[in-house]
Amino acid sequence: MKSIYFITGNKGKFSEVKEKLKRLDVAVIQENLGYPEVQGDSLEEVAGYGVEHIKKRFLHPFIIEDAGLFVDALDGFPGVYSKYVFFTIGCKGILKLLEDKKRRTAVFRSVYAYSEPNNKPLFFIGECQGIITTKERGEGGFGYDPIFIPDGETKTFAEMNTEEKNTFSHRGKALDKLIDFLKEK
Ligand code: ITT
């Protein structure tokens, strides 16, 4: 069985990836090495810096992922700042910022970077459009899941199980592209 390292400190992300890769003959191993998340203009830029940093210390093929929530009425905020904003103002803070806003559309974006020694990283991108709720709903998932409903659904991501969330989510879509690539390898 092939194995791949996923460098992440986020358990929620890791379970989603494990769930998805279990159908493929690939074992995914979590490594919480930590890497600096530089403040870039795009998720690709942030992931690209992460890859260069990890490559110097880790000599196996690996993946990292950078994700964020981009809210239209807030001009794309929190976007590349999603982690910091989550740990400071959280879901409640985002709801507060949107209190008087009719426009509640948002998009989750996910970028995977696949890296192997001596090669440039490859990027796989996924998006999920949806709306921001007016209240937090659901106990599952992580991060902004309790305030996000994907288009065409009534449940928030936090009200879905991992498999269900993966069928809609930005991470699930980006991961499908990564899986297609890994199958060919
Ligand atoms: P890494 O160790 O993999 O970098 P992280 O927690 O730092 O994990 P990111 O920087 O990629 O994750 O994501 C930024 C934040 O965006 C994250 O802390 C969550 O609050 C939020 N987020 C990302 N993906 C999400 C998802 O699928 N559902 C809800 N919130 C999400």
Side-chain angles (χ1 to χ4, degrees):
M1 189 191 254
K2 277 192 233 169
S3 58
I4 188 155
Y5 289 92
F6 184 15
I7 316 290
T8 180
N10 185 318
K11 283 195 191 123
K13 275 188 188 181
F14 179 67
S15 339
E16 289 178 17
V17 172
K18 217 167 126 185
E19 163 71 35
K20 196 104 185 176
L21 288 184
K22 80 180 180 203
R23 266 161 268 143
L24 205 74
D25 207 16
V26 176
V28 51
I29 305 161
Q30 183 180 11
E31 277 286 341
N32 186 5
L33 289 181
Y35 56 92
E37 289 193 23
V38 295
Q39 228 47 88
D41 293 332
S42 67
L43 297 178
E44 288 91 327
E45 201 181 321
V46 178
Y49 275 110
V51 164
E52 291 315 315
H53 181 88
I54 295 164
K55 257 183 131 166
K56 291 185 190 133
R57 323 184 268 158
F58 194 72
L59 303 173
H60 305 278
F62 66 86
I63 51 174
I64 58 172
E65 192 238 17
D66 200 40
L69 176 67
F70 297 74
V71 179
D72 293 329
L74 305 176
D75 296 326
F77 183 83
V80 291
Y81 309 104
S82 291
K83 184 176 185 174
Y84 178 71
V85 170
F86 183 74
F87 287 112
T88 50
I89 63 171
C91 288
K92 285 192 176 50
I94 297 291
L95 293 180
K96 185 98 186 132
L97 290 171
L98 288 178
E99 221 166 34
D100 55 346
K101 302 269 196 275
K102 284 212 178 70
R103 191 167 157 229
R104 304 197 68 92
T105 51
V107 59
F108 259 126
R109 292 206 175 95
S110 159
V111 175
Y112 275 92
Y114 172 82
S115 170
E116 50 188 32
N118 308 321
N119 283 330
K120 284 200 169 141
L122 297 170
F123 296 98
F124 303 88
I125 298 165
E127 287 192 354
C128 177
Q129 303 279 343
I131 55 159
I132 304 294
T133 54
T134 49
K135 275 193 238 143
E136 289 179 66
R137 274 170 31 196
E139 305 296 324
F142 64 95
Y144 302 102
D145 282 346
I147 60 167
F148 185 86
I149 301 178
D151 276 356
E153 278 300 297
T154 51
K155 288 195 272 188
T156 66
F157 271 163
E159 292 172 311
M160 298 180 184
N161 63 34
T162 302
E163 200 179 347
E164 224 178 337
K165 177 181 168 185
N166 269 341
T167 62
F168 299 101
S169 81
H170 48 308
R171 186 162 305 101
K173 288 176 191 157
L175 208 48
D176 281 339
K177 296 181 189 168
L178 174 68
I179 287 172
D180 286 344
F181 164 78
L182 290 175
K183 272 189 202 155
E184 299 298 314
K185 272 191 77 68

